[in-house]
Amino acid sequence: MSNATNENLVNLAAARAEPGQTTELGATIGDVRSKNPFVVAENVDVYYGDNHAIRNVTLEIGKQEVIALIGPSGCGKSTFLRCLNRMNDSIESARVSGTILLDGQDIYSRNLDPVALRARVGMVFQKPNPFPKSIYDNVAYGPRIHGLAADRAELDQIVRTSLERAGLWDEVKDRLDDAGTGLSGGQQQRLCIARTIAVGPEVILMDEPCSALDPIATARIEDLIDELSEDYAIVVVTHSMQQAARVSKRVAYFHLGTLVEVDETDRIFTNPRHKLTEDYITGRIG
Amino acid sequence: MAMATSTTNRQKVEAGLSRRRRKELVFRYTGLLATTVGILFLGVFFVDLFGKGASAFRQTYISLDVELSEAVIAPGGEPDFAFADFDGLVRDALRKLFPEVTERSQRRELYRLLSVGAAYQVRDLVEQDPALLGTTQTLWVPASANVDMLIKRSEGEPVEDDSGQLSVAQVYWVGQLQQQELLKKGWNTALFTNGDSREPELAGIRGALMGSFYMLLVTVVIAFPTGVAAAVYLEEFAPRSRISDIIEVNINNLAAVPSIVFGLLGLAVFINWASLPRSAPLVGGLVLSLLTLPVIIIASRAAIKSVPPSIRDAASSLGASRMQVVFHHVMPLALPGMLTGTIIGMSRALGESAPLLMIGMVAFIVDVPAGLTDPATALPVQIYLWADSPERAFAERTSAAIIVLLGFLLLMNLAAVIIRKRMQRNW
Ligand SMILES: Nc1ncnc2c1ncn2[C@@H]1O[C@H](COP(=O)(O)OP(=O)(O)O)[C@@H](O)[C@H]1O
Ligand SMILES: [Mg+2]
C-alpha cells in the first residue's frame, strides 16, 4: 500500500514537474556532507519487522549546526532521529543497519554502551515528559545517575546553569521543590530541555518539541534552540515549515523512508530541486 | 434534490429517536433494578448479622464479695495457683447471697448460675496482686451462658430461645440477683481476650485472630516480594517468547484455581514432604501465599503496564540503565497499584477457610498461639467451628465473629482505596 501511494505521488509530481526538476525517488539530492561533520549516518536502513521504515539514508550533521528534518507524517523522521541515540534498541521489532558515527566513533559498535551514548546525545520529546518529581530532581536526575557532581553544591550549580540556559531559572528559582508536572506545557518542555542539558550532551535531538505548545511557548523554545546551537549540534524534527525556516541552518526532507533532499535552509525553501520537496513545502503534500 | 434528501433524513432520524429513547430508558431502569436488588440483599444480610451478633459484644456479670482466704489459696504459705480451690471461694461467696439454699442438689443448681470463668478471674486477680491475699473483694464475675441468654432474652434481644435450660429455681435466683442489683451487663472482654472454649461465655476470638495475624504475616512477607519481583521480571526483563506466554497463561489460570486445591497442595508439600507441623500458621501462611501470589503478580503487572512509556523514554534518553529506569521511575509509580493488589490479595487470604481445613487448622484450640508454629485456627475457621456448635450461646458469637471478620476486611479494602487515592500521581 505504501508503495502504491509512493508511486502515485511520484506520478503526480512528474505531471506537475517543471523542466529541470527531478521526480525520481532515488539518490538524495543536495549535499549530504557537512564541512565539519560530527554525526555521520552512512547508508542507514531501519526495519520494523517487514516494514522498511528508513531506506538507505546517508546524512552528515555538523558541529554547532541545527538541522531540521521535515516530511509528511510516517516518513521516518522520528525513526531516523531515534537511531542517533539508539532509542530504537528498546523496540523489539526494530532492526538498524548501516553505520552511524559520533565524532568518528561507531555508536552501534559492540563496545559502546548505549548508556554512555545517551549521555552524549540527549533527546527532547514531542510531549513534555517531566518526571513526577520536583523541578530540582528532574534536572538533577541525569547528573546524579552519571555521577557528574561531587557534592551537593556542585549539583546545585549544575541545576542552576541548566535551568538558566533553558531560560527557566527566573520562573522557577523560588519553587524548585514543586512538582515539575505542575508547570505549564511550555515550561515543562523547557524543563525537559534543562534536564537534557544538565547531562552535558554534545548533540541534542528534538522530536517535534513544539507541537504540543501554544505559539508563545513555541517562540520561546525556538529562541532557545537558536541560543543552544552555539554549543550543541541540534537535530530537530518539525512539521512546521516556518519553524524549520526560523531555527535551522540545513533542512532534510524525508519521504516514505527516503531522504529526498538536503540543502541549506534558504536554498531549499526558495529553490527546491525535487518535485516532492516543492510539493511538500508549498503545502501540496500534508 | 439535496433539500429532499435532507428532509427525509431528518424524518428518519426523528422516527428512530423515540425508539432510541425508549431503549435507553429500559436499560437505565434495568440497571437501577439490579442495583436495588443487590443493595437489598446486602441490607438484609447486614441487618440479620448485626441483629444476631451485636448482643454477643455484651455479657452478663454477677457481683460477688469474694473472700480471698489465705487458708484456701496458700495452704503451704505460698499461693498455689495450680491446685487451690478458687472455685470453692466463688461458690462460698454466691452461697452467702442465698443463705436459704441449703440442700446439696439445690446448691449445685445455684452454682450453675456462675461461669467456670469466675474462678479463673479470681485466680488471675491474686496472681497479679498477691497483696490482696486475706482481703475480701467485690468482683464482677461472668455469669453462665444460660443466665446470659435469659437476661438478654428478658431485655428483648433477639437471642435464640432455649428456655428449659434453666430450672424454675434458677430463674427465681436470677430475679433475686436482679432485684438486689447484683447483676449487670457489661462489655464482653472475654470475646477479645480468650481463645476458644467449650463454655460459650468464655469463648473468644483472640486465638483465631492471632492465628490469622501470623498467617497473614507469613503471607505478606513471602507473597509481596515474590509477587512484585516476578511481575517486574516478567514485564521488564523477560524476553517475549513462547515460554513467557505459557507462564503468563498459567499465572492467570492459577488465580482461578479453587482454594481447596491449594490446601491439598500444602498438605502434600509442606506437611507430608517438608514435615512442617500441622495446624501451624506457618503452613497456613505458606498456602495462602501460593493463593495470593497470582493475584499480586497480575495486579503488579497491570500497575507496571500503566506507567506511561513517556517516563521510560525520558529516563532512558538521559542515559539511565534498564535497572535504573525500573527502580527509579517505574517502581515508584507502580507501587500504589502493587500495594492495592497486595491488600486485595491479603483480604482474600484473610477470608479463606477451605485450604486451612486441609492442613489441620480446624482443631479445637484453647491456647492463643504465640508463634508461627503453635497450633492455631483462623477467623473464618473459627466461625465455621462455632456455627457448628450445638449451644445456643454460640450462635450469637458466630455472628459476632463474622462482624469482626467483616470489620477487618472492610478496613483492608479501605486501606487499599486510600492508598490508591493518596499515592496516585498525575502525570
Ligand atoms: N514502534 C514502532 N513499531 C513499528 N512500526 C513503527 C514504530 N514506530 C514507527 N513505525 C513505522 O515506521 C514508519 C515511520 O514512522 P515515524 O518514524 O514515526 O514517522 P514520523 O516521525 O516521520 O511521522 C511508519 O510507517 C510507522 O508506522
Ligand atoms: Mg514522529
Side-chain angles (χ1 to χ4, degrees):
Chain A
M1 192 220 102
S2 77
N3 269 329
T5 335
N6 187 354
E7 269 160 34
N8 285 346
L9 282 170
V10 175
N11 292 342
L12 194 81
R16 280 205 305 262
E18 287 165 23
Q21 253 183 347
T22 323
T23 57
E24 271 150 44
L25 257 188
T28 307
I29 299 174
D31 196 2
V32 297
R33 303 293 160 192
S34 160
K35 276 176 236 96
N36 189 7
F38 192 63
V39 180
V40 179
E42 208 79 52
N43 304 103
V44 173
D45 282 84
V46 182
Y47 300 83
Y48 293 111
D50 293 336
N51 181 3
H52 196 170
I54 290 289
R55 295 160 187 259
N56 194 24
V57 168
T58 298
L59 183 63
E60 287 184 356
I61 297 157
K63 249 182 185 150
Q64 299 168 20
E65 173 180 79
V66 181
I67 183 164
L69 310 186
I70 61 170
S73 53
C75 69
K77 307 179 295 287
S78 301
T79 302
F80 181 69
L81 197 68
R82 291 163 65 91
C83 289
L84 303 181
N85 66 344
R86 291 184 59 175
M87 284 292 277
N88 284 332
D89 287 14
S90 60
I91 300 169
E92 262 173 65
S93 66
R95 202 155 47 77
V96 180
S97 68
T99 47
I100 299 176
L101 306 178
L102 175 70
D103 206 6
Q105 191 183 8
D106 182 2
I107 65 169
Y108 279 89
S109 94
R110 252 173 216 293
N111 44 32
L112 187 97
D113 191 341
V115 165
L117 170 68
R118 288 174 196 151
R120 300 177 63 190
V121 183
M123 188 165 199
V124 177
F125 297 82
Q126 181 167 357
K127 200 170 149 269
N129 56 355
F131 300 127
K133 297 174 190 280
S134 72
I135 293 169
Y136 184 95
D137 286 339
N138 261 283
V139 183
Y141 182 70
R144 274 192 184 129
I145 56 172
H146 294 298
L148 300 185
D151 52 25
R152 177 72 191 214
E154 200 178 339
L155 190 61
D156 286 349
Q157 194 51 46
I158 294 176
V159 170
R160 180 174 179 155
T161 33
S162 305
L163 284 169
E164 277 170 352
R165 294 230 57 187
L168 195 61
W169 175 253
D170 289 331
E171 286 156 73
V172 301
K173 62 169 183 259
D174 299 324
R175 46 176 177 144
L176 290 175
D177 290 331
D178 288 7
T181 42
L183 298 171
S184 75
Q187 289 173 323
Q188 286 188 16
Q189 196 63 301
R190 276 181 280 145
L191 177 62
C192 292
I193 293 174
R195 182 175 69 183
T196 306
I197 298 172
V199 183
E202 292 150 280
V203 181
I204 301 177
L205 312 175
M206 298 186 174
D207 195 348
E208 304 194 26
C210 302
S211 67
L213 305 181
D214 60 74
I216 294 173
T218 300
R220 292 214 56 168
I221 303 271
E222 287 176 2
D223 290 347
L224 187 56
I225 293 174
D226 222 33
E227 287 166 29
L228 293 176
S229 67
E230 289 169 18
D231 301 309
Y232 308 95
I234 298 177
V235 187
V236 53
V237 172
T238 175
H239 56 234
S240 155
M241 266 6 96
Q242 291 86 342
Q243 184 165 78
R246 280 194 294 263
V247 301
S248 68
K249 207 149 87 189
R250 283 164 84 212
V251 170
Y253 173 68
F254 282 76
H255 191 97
L256 293 166
T258 307
L259 178 53
V260 176
E261 186 167 350
V262 188
D263 220 327
E264 301 287 316
T265 305
D266 321 333
R267 284 251 295 281
I268 206 164
F269 281 119
T270 51
N271 183 21
R273 281 188 276 169
H274 198 287
K275 186 66 192 150
L276 284 169
T277 317
E278 186 190 352
D279 282 351
Y280 182 73
I281 59 182
T282 53
R284 278 191 285 246
I285 310 175
Chain B
M1 160 66 204
M3 271 302 280
T5 347
S6 79
T7 330
T8 50
N9 271 357
R10 194 197 282 163
Q11 277 166 352
K12 277 185 202 159
V13 169
E14 264 161 26
L17 215 54
S18 66
R19 189 166 39 85
R20 270 195 263 174
R21 284 212 192 104
R22 208 166 44 240
K23 268 191 180 165
E24 208 168 288
L25 217 64
V26 168
F27 184 74
R28 181 155 4 129
Y29 280 111
T30 317
L32 191 66
L33 188 74
T35 315
T36 318
V37 169
I39 289 178
L40 218 65
F41 273 121
L42 206 65
V44 168
F45 172 64
F46 275 120
V47 167
D48 181 63
L49 188 65
F50 281 91
K52 281 189 182 140
S55 57
F57 292 103
R58 302 184 61 76
Q59 153 77 24
T60 308
Y61 294 93
I62 298 174
S63 173
L64 291 180
D65 294 327
V66 184
E67 190 193 334
L68 304 174
S69 147
E70 245 169 303
V72 176
I73 299 171
E78 279 295 297
D80 179 1
F81 295 112
F83 294 106
D85 187 13
F86 291 99
D87 240 349
L89 294 179
V90 180
R91 287 174 181 181
D92 285 344
L94 182 63
R95 212 168 49 230
K96 264 186 235 140
L97 294 176
F98 298 97
E100 72 278 9
V101 183
T102 49
E103 204 186 310
R104 226 192 147 93
S105 66
Q106 280 228 307
R107 277 190 181 169
R108 228 176 283 141
E109 259 183 67
L110 181 64
Y111 298 153
R112 253 179 255 132
L113 297 183
L114 288 174
S115 161
V116 292
Y120 303 151
Q121 190 182 331
V122 174
R123 185 192 61 197
D124 293 347
L125 184 74
V126 179
E127 206 161 12
Q128 264 173 25
D129 188 2
L132 294 177
L133 258 185
T135 63
T136 298
Q137 296 288 323
T138 306
L139 301 174
W140 286 100
V141 298
S144 76
N146 287 334
V147 173
D148 189 44
M149 289 288 113
L150 177 71
I151 296 293
K152 282 173 181 167
R153 198 162 54 244
S154 71
E155 288 176 3
E157 304 228 27
V159 294
E160 303 257 355
D161 184 27
D162 53 353
S163 26
Q165 293 282 327
L166 289 174
S167 70
V168 178
Q170 282 174 321
V171 174
Y172 170 76
W173 292 326
V174 170
Q176 293 272 299
L177 285 171
Q178 232 172 350
Q179 261 178 10
Q180 299 170 47
E181 296 190 340
L182 293 175
L183 212 62
K184 72 158 190 193
K185 258 174 65 193
W187 181 245
N188 186 0
T189 44
L191 186 63
F192 294 96
T193 55
N194 289 4
D196 201 4
S197 170
R198 293 285 182 221
E199 312 298 330
E201 74 275 8
L202 294 182
I205 54 171
R206 178 66 171 264
L209 265 181
M210 291 312 288
S212 282
F213 170 76
Y214 286 129
M215 271 195 314
L216 288 193
L217 200 70
V218 173
T219 308
V220 81
V221 164
I222 292 176
F224 180 64
T226 318
V228 168
V232 168
Y233 176 74
L234 289 173
E235 266 319 302
E236 299 286 341
F237 298 103
R240 287 252 147 263
S241 66
R242 167 154 284 149
I243 294 174
S244 69
D245 286 348
I246 291 174
I247 290 174
E248 167 137 27
V249 169
N250 277 303
I251 287 171
N252 292 341
N253 281 343
L254 219 53
V257 169
S259 56
I260 194 143
V261 177
F262 285 100
L264 281 168
L265 181 75
L267 177 65
V269 175
F270 299 130
I271 294 180
N272 289 349
W273 181 74
S275 311
L276 291 173
R278 272 177 172 275
S279 311
L282 176 64
V283 178
L286 288 170
V287 170
L288 293 181
S289 324
L290 294 178
L291 199 79
T292 47
L293 206 52
V295 178
I296 295 177
I297 293 177
I298 291 169
S300 301
R301 291 186 71 177
I304 292 172
K305 274 205 186 87
S306 74
V307 174
S310 64
I311 297 290
R312 294 166 203 269
D313 284 349
S316 48
S317 79
L318 287 172
S321 68
R322 206 147 166 187
M323 278 275 277
Q324 287 172 326
V325 173
V326 171
F327 286 97
H328 295 169
H329 301 281
V330 176
M331 287 286 272
L333 293 175
L335 201 61
M338 292 173 168
L339 287 179
T340 312
T342 305
I343 293 176
I344 287 170
M346 286 296 142
S347 61
R348 185 180 160 199
L350 177 61
E352 266 314 332
S353 54
L356 305 182
L357 306 186
M358 288 289 117
I359 54 165
M361 294 191 74
V362 68
F364 170 72
I365 292 155
V366 176
D367 292 324
V368 175
L372 295 178
T373 50
D374 287 356
T377 53
L379 216 41
V381 178
Q382 187 70 73
I383 290 168
Y384 165 75
L385 286 170
W386 282 353
D388 217 25
S389 296
E391 287 92 343
R392 295 294 193 201
F394 273 121
E396 61 169 11
R397 278 167 178 75
T398 307
S399 298
I402 295 173
I403 291 172
V404 172
L405 178 61
L406 286 181
F408 276 105
L409 291 175
L410 196 74
L411 278 181
M412 290 171 83
N413 288 337
L414 205 67
V417 171
I418 289 173
I419 287 175
R420 202 158 42 206
K421 283 260 150 73
R422 273 284 168 81
M423 291 177 65
Q424 208 164 44
R425 308 216 202 189
N426 309 325
W427 46 68

